[in-house]
Amino acid sequence: MHRYYFIDSSGEDTNLQLYSLKQAKHQWATLQDDLSAGDQVEHFHERCVFLICTIGLSVSQLLGQNNPEPSDRVPSPKSIFDSLVDRHRLDSTLKSKFKEFIDTYDHCRHFGLTNDGSRHWQVSQVTLDKTRETYEFGLLVWDTVISIFRRDPKNELDELDLSVVQDEP
């Protein structure tokens, strides 16, 4: 039973990764609106970190749901992404870019006290540019994965338009 693949999440079936993507897109749009309104944005750093966590969550869920080699345990997002890059002969530089993306996501979602203070320092380095870079790469991962699955006519992805997904109810 594929309960988490549905484009329409209005019934008992759902699409957790698409919902997370919608939330990341809403967060990004709201942050952009607030930035254009003035210099001071309330909770700016927190919102950037939250946005990174949300786009990272959506990508992690997307990859887990589309793991090309199901096993007893869902592999790490990096392993799944690397496998997709290899299997579909995509640009191999995507692997190093994904590693940076997933490391940034991991820093933001697993921050806390470390003996050397490194994790707090890593999270403190999140800037608007880093947030934008992470967000945009997350969208690229989505586009890449969906384009792979669009190649199979059995997949019902004709109605999925990632550019307007945040506007849908």
Side-chain angles (χ1 to χ4, degrees), residues 6 17 21-22 47 60 63 71 73 80 91 99 101 116 118 154 160:
F6 290 82
Q17 63 272 13
L21 176 64
K22 286 179 182 181
R47 290 169 68 184
S60 178
L63 293 172
S71 60
R73 185 179 155 113
I80 297 170
D91 180 356
K99 181 180 181 335
F101 168 86
D116 63 359
S118 61
K154 291 184 284 184
L160 180 61

Side-chain angles (χ1 to χ4, degrees), residues 24-166:
K25 287 183 149 228
H26 283 297
Q27 289 294 319
W28 181 251
T30 303
L31 181 61
Q32 292 301 298
D33 288 346
D34 290 352
L35 286 167
S36 67
D39 291 338
Q40 294 288 55
V41 173
E42 194 170 333
H43 304 293
F44 173 75
H45 187 78
E46 294 90 334
R47 290 169 68 184
C48 287
V49 170
F50 184 76
L51 179 61
I52 288 170
C53 288
T54 308
I55 192 70
L57 174 63
S58 76
V59 165
S60 178
Q61 291 171 330
L62 174 71
L63 293 172
Q65 282 294 92
N66 294 288
N67 177 13
E69 300 164 8
S71 60
D72 290 338
R73 185 179 155 113
V74 178
S76 71
K78 184 177 180 325
S79 295
I80 297 170
F81 187 76
D82 287 354
S83 178
L84 286 171
V85 168
D86 292 341
R87 181 176 286 212
H88 297 281
R89 296 184 177 97
L90 303 176
D91 180 356
S92 63
T93 63
L94 287 170
K95 290 180 179 183
S96 60
K97 292 176 182 174
F98 188 83
K99 181 180 181 335
E100 183 178 338
F101 168 86
I102 208 68
D103 285 349
T104 300
Y105 167 57
D106 283 344
H107 295 161
C108 289
R109 73 184 181 106
H110 287 303
F111 77 96
L113 294 175
T114 55
N115 289 337
D116 63 359
S118 61
R119 191 49 56 96
H120 280 181
W121 180 84
Q122 290 161 334
V123 173
S124 75
Q125 300 307 296
V126 171
T127 62
L128 179 60
D129 288 339
K130 185 63 171 177
T131 304
R132 179 182 294 109
E133 175 186 315
T134 304
Y135 174 73
E136 289 175 354
F137 187 79
L139 296 179
L140 176 68
V141 172
W142 265 88
D143 284 336
T144 301
V145 172
I146 296 301
S147 70
I148 288 169
F149 286 94
R150 279 190 206 273
R151 295 175 192 165
D152 182 348
K154 291 184 284 184
N155 292 327
E156 298 177 16
L157 294 170
D158 294 338
E159 295 180 31
L160 180 61
D161 182 353
L162 294 176
S163 68
V164 296
V165 75
Q166 74 276 13

